[in-house]
Amino acid sequence: MPRSRRLALVGALCLPVLAGAFLVQDQATTASARLFDQVVYYGSERYVDSVPANQLYEKAAKGLVAQLNDPYSELLSPKEVTAFTRNTGGRYAGVGMQIEDHNGQIVVARVFPGSPAEGGGVQEGDVILFVDTASTRGWKLQQVSNTLLGTPGTKVKVRFGRPGITEPIPLEFTRATIRIPAVPYTLAFEGGIGYIPLQQFNETSAPEVTKAIRELQAQGAKSFILDLRRNPGGYLEQSLDIANLFLAKGSEILTVRGRQNEVQRSVADQAPLVPSAPVVVLVDQFSASASEIVAGALQDHDRALVVGNTTFGKGLVQSVMPLDGGYALKMTTAKWYTPSGRSIQKDRKVGPDGQFAAEEPDSVVESDSARRARPVFRSDAGRVVFGGGGITPDLPVRPDTFTTAEQALVRAIAPKSQEIYVKLYDFAFAQKGKVQRDFTVTPEWREQIFQAILGSGAKVDRAQLEAGRTYVDRLIENRVARTLFGDAEAKRRDLDDDAALRKAVDLLRKGRSQTDLFAMAKAAPTAAR
């Protein structure tokens, strides 16, 4: 029998079996759909408390997504869609305050420059007591945030509490479009080193990084530090554009592989803005997603030395699909791979609610044994890079830690941190016009803050304060520098307490090329890492 005839016959013999399989599958699907409808019916008609059918369907849909056991997939309500768009877009309409929940009190953690809040004199540490006529007592953080947000041009009244002032402070704001910068500032270190802190990948991240590079180049920068620490990621397209700023045209940045094994390959399609200058990328355990895409591409192409701690390990891609009624489904639809072919996805335990289960915290610096257990890949130049479990830095750096005495002081003053924070802000503001950029913390300054801490009611004594005086000095120095001279000056002064940044600056002052940086990192003693 000819071969073609034999194959056709085998195929024909398989048809009834396959048809039977499809029939069984269709019957199972129909039965499951009928089961779902029955449960919804009885939930709507017979449950002890009345639950509208539309709410049951929404709860069922959320439950379905939760049962995927994927913390990155979720059904977004219309309000959640608005919040998601705001958080990833870098713009929103409000009064310009970053707020936090401090033991049930909603506290202003940051006032954005040029915002209605800044114009109204809001201070960091102020407590939000009322929004319009409603007390915020018992409110969740998101509820307060949603109430403050609104249409540009509309008004909102807020009453604030401030330690040391007995009466609430009433203010009225006109809401405006607030822009949250992805690059809040830049810094030029001696030796022609430009520092760029990238805090998120929003819709303007690539243009902001481009602007930062050009400004630093105009100031004489010949090497760069791109700080991706604590950057949770964001827009995929922005990560591609930022990687392209450093990679030669045609260089692969990543590949994305979906369920049907379809492959999307992204490459640098523009000439780089920084084609050869030495680059260090700083990462930590909170650098995730888009941050890992940039760090991984630059590492694989030997275009940057990665310094710090092993990253979060999120090698998945989510798609947001609009649904009827203003809902949206954010769902994991693919995995991404670095140019060398590695996935950096870290497997984590997921709880019954679909969220990450509690786990023992990993060591900040990955152990040698854990690193050796991961799959090995090679960069363009043959350097070893690791897959699985995040981006492993080329040069691990242990962060500076508090002394035992400083840790004890931090714990003791934590319950009164908001009041102490305000006292620090007031103290720093009072120095305006009295100090220069080269100021130093004096014993008199320290004594004033000691008295403020003792007067706050914190369970701390004089001996503890003296033992932790270095920590108190750092608090004072940072607050005065930031309040009077901005974030850049505060960061410059933070260099002595930032081990990874200190190492990056030291390497760039000594190395003249990217090759020099790799050689110095390889020669660094293990104990110093």
Side-chain angles (χ1 to χ4, degrees):
M1 182 183 295
R3 185 170 182 273
S4 58
R5 172 65 176 167
R6 186 163 60 246
L7 289 174
L9 180 60
V10 171
L13 290 173
C14 287
L15 282 174
V17 179
L18 290 174
F22 284 127
L23 180 61
V24 171
Q25 185 181 35
D26 288 343
Q27 290 174 342
T29 302
T30 301
S32 297
R34 188 164 55 250
L35 171 65
F36 177 81
D37 288 338
Q38 290 171 341
V39 171
V40 170
Y41 171 79
Y42 285 115
S44 177
E45 299 296 326
R46 302 293 298 276
Y47 183 61
V48 64
D49 294 322
S50 176
V51 182
N54 65 318
Q55 292 185 17
L56 279 176
Y57 279 109
E58 180 178 339
K59 291 177 184 294
K62 285 182 176 290
L64 185 155
V65 177
Q67 287 301 309
L68 296 175
N69 289 327
D70 176 17
Y72 303 115
S73 295
E74 58 182 323
L75 178 66
L76 303 174
S77 69
K79 284 186 176 180
E80 290 169 334
V81 170
T82 300
F84 176 79
T85 303
R86 180 178 68 247
N87 292 336
T88 55
R91 295 176 186 271
Y92 69 97
V95 299
M97 301 181 298
Q98 179 182 323
I99 58 177
E100 297 176 352
D101 187 334
H102 288 190
N103 299 318
Q105 288 188 316
I106 307 303
V107 178
V108 178
R110 190 176 184 87
V111 179
F112 295 118
S115 66
E118 184 186 53
V122 178
Q123 295 183 10
E124 295 173 7
D126 285 351
V127 180
I128 298 176
L129 303 176
F130 286 82
V131 179
D132 288 328
T133 59
S135 169
T136 61
R137 184 184 297 275
W139 283 20
K140 299 295 185 182
L141 182 67
Q142 192 61 51
Q143 186 178 0
V144 177
S145 176
N146 290 341
T147 309
L148 291 170
L149 299 174
T151 304
T154 59
K155 295 184 181 298
V156 60
K157 295 180 180 180
V158 183
R159 276 189 272 173
F160 296 91
R162 186 174 297 168
I165 298 178
T166 56
E167 295 295 323
I169 302 171
L171 294 172
E172 183 177 65
F173 304 104
T174 299
R175 294 184 178 96
T177 298
I178 308 298
R179 179 180 169 277
I180 304 173
V183 180
Y185 63 92
T186 59
L187 187 57
F189 289 105
E190 292 181 7
I193 302 169
Y195 172 74
I196 304 171
L198 179 58
Q199 297 186 340
Q200 58 181 323
F201 287 81
N202 62 29
E203 62 186 4
T204 64
S205 293
E208 288 186 50
V209 174
T210 300
K211 180 182 177 183
I213 291 172
R214 293 191 187 281
E215 289 178 348
L216 289 167
Q217 287 175 330
Q219 298 174 45
K222 295 180 174 58
S223 59
F224 296 91
I225 300 170
L226 181 63
D227 194 344
L228 299 178
R229 291 176 297 178
R230 306 193 74 85
N231 185 324
Y235 287 140
L236 170 64
E237 294 79 6
Q238 295 292 314
S239 70
L240 302 179
D241 290 344
I242 289 171
N244 196 163
L245 295 172
F246 303 94
L247 294 175
K249 186 175 181 179
S251 300
E252 182 176 299
I253 299 174
L254 87 163
T255 55
V256 176
R257 302 175 190 172
R259 180 173 176 176
Q260 273 73 43
N261 289 322
E262 67 272 20
V263 177
Q264 298 177 359
R265 181 171 176 265
S266 297
V267 300
D269 56 6
Q270 302 290 327
L273 184 58
V274 185
S276 59
V279 177
V280 172
V281 173
L282 299 181
V283 296
D284 64 9
Q285 63 271 34
F286 304 107
S287 304
S289 190
S291 292
E292 294 172 302
I293 289 173
V294 173
L298 269 58
Q299 186 180 52
D300 280 6
H301 289 303
D302 304 292
R303 188 60 198 88
L305 181 76
V306 179
V307 174
N309 311 131
T310 300
T311 61
F312 183 80
K314 183 176 183 290
L316 304 174
V317 177
Q318 282 74 47
S319 300
V320 179
M321 291 155 279
L323 306 175
D324 291 343
Y327 289 82
L329 178 61
K330 180 166 74 73
M331 178 175 286
T332 299
T333 54
K335 295 181 179 180
W336 64 266
Y337 298 81
T338 71
S340 66
R342 53 185 171 142
S343 168
I344 53 86
Q345 174 66 17
K346 179 178 181 178
D347 292 330
R348 284 181 166 83
K349 294 181 180 179
V350 178
D353 59 353
Q355 301 303 306
F356 289 133
E359 59 182 14
E360 290 296 321
D362 296 331
S363 172
V364 173
V365 177
E366 188 178 23
S367 67
D368 289 338
S369 59
R371 191 161 44 248
R372 284 194 295 268
R374 295 169 59 183
V376 172
F377 294 78
R378 295 283 176 176
S379 72
D380 291 352
R383 296 185 306 122
V384 171
V385 292
F386 296 94
I391 300 292
T392 299
D394 302 305
L395 181 59
V397 176
R398 295 184 181 278
D400 293 322
T401 56
F402 291 141
T403 65
T404 301
E406 289 172 340
Q407 292 178 27
L409 179 58
V410 170
R411 288 194 297 270
I413 68 177
K416 297 294 181 179
S417 59
Q418 187 265 334
E419 184 172 343
I420 294 169
Y421 188 86
V422 172
K423 292 292 185 183
L424 275 168
Y425 182 93
D426 290 342
F427 172 82
F429 195 79
Q431 308 312 311
K432 192 171 185 178
K434 299 178 182 179
V435 299
Q436 304 298 319
R437 284 181 177 271
D438 60 351
F439 74 87
T440 57
V441 176
T442 67
E444 292 76 20
W445 286 9
R446 184 186 310 120
E447 181 61 29
Q448 281 188 248
I449 300 305
F450 276 3
Q451 291 302 321
I453 294 173
L454 291 169
S456 70
K459 294 181 179 180
V460 60
D461 57 31
R462 185 79 190 197
Q464 283 180 291
L465 289 172
E466 291 291 351
R469 62 191 294 176
T470 302
Y471 170 70
V472 175
D473 283 357
R474 287 202 298 267
L475 287 179
I476 298 170
E477 182 179 23
N478 181 272
R479 175 46 53 188
V480 172
R482 183 178 162 195
T483 301
L484 302 187
F485 306 109
D487 288 333
E489 180 61 26
K491 190 61 184 180
R492 186 192 303 277
R493 287 172 168 269
D494 190 44
L495 185 61
D496 289 342
D497 300 313
D498 189 335
L501 179 57
R502 193 168 64 243
K503 173 60 70 174
V505 170
D506 181 60
L507 288 169
L508 289 170
R509 283 174 176 166
K510 294 177 181 177
R512 296 185 178 183
S513 68
Q514 199 67 51
T515 302
D516 289 345
L517 298 185
F518 293 136
M520 287 187 289
K522 187 175 181 179
T526 303
R529 300 187 178 193

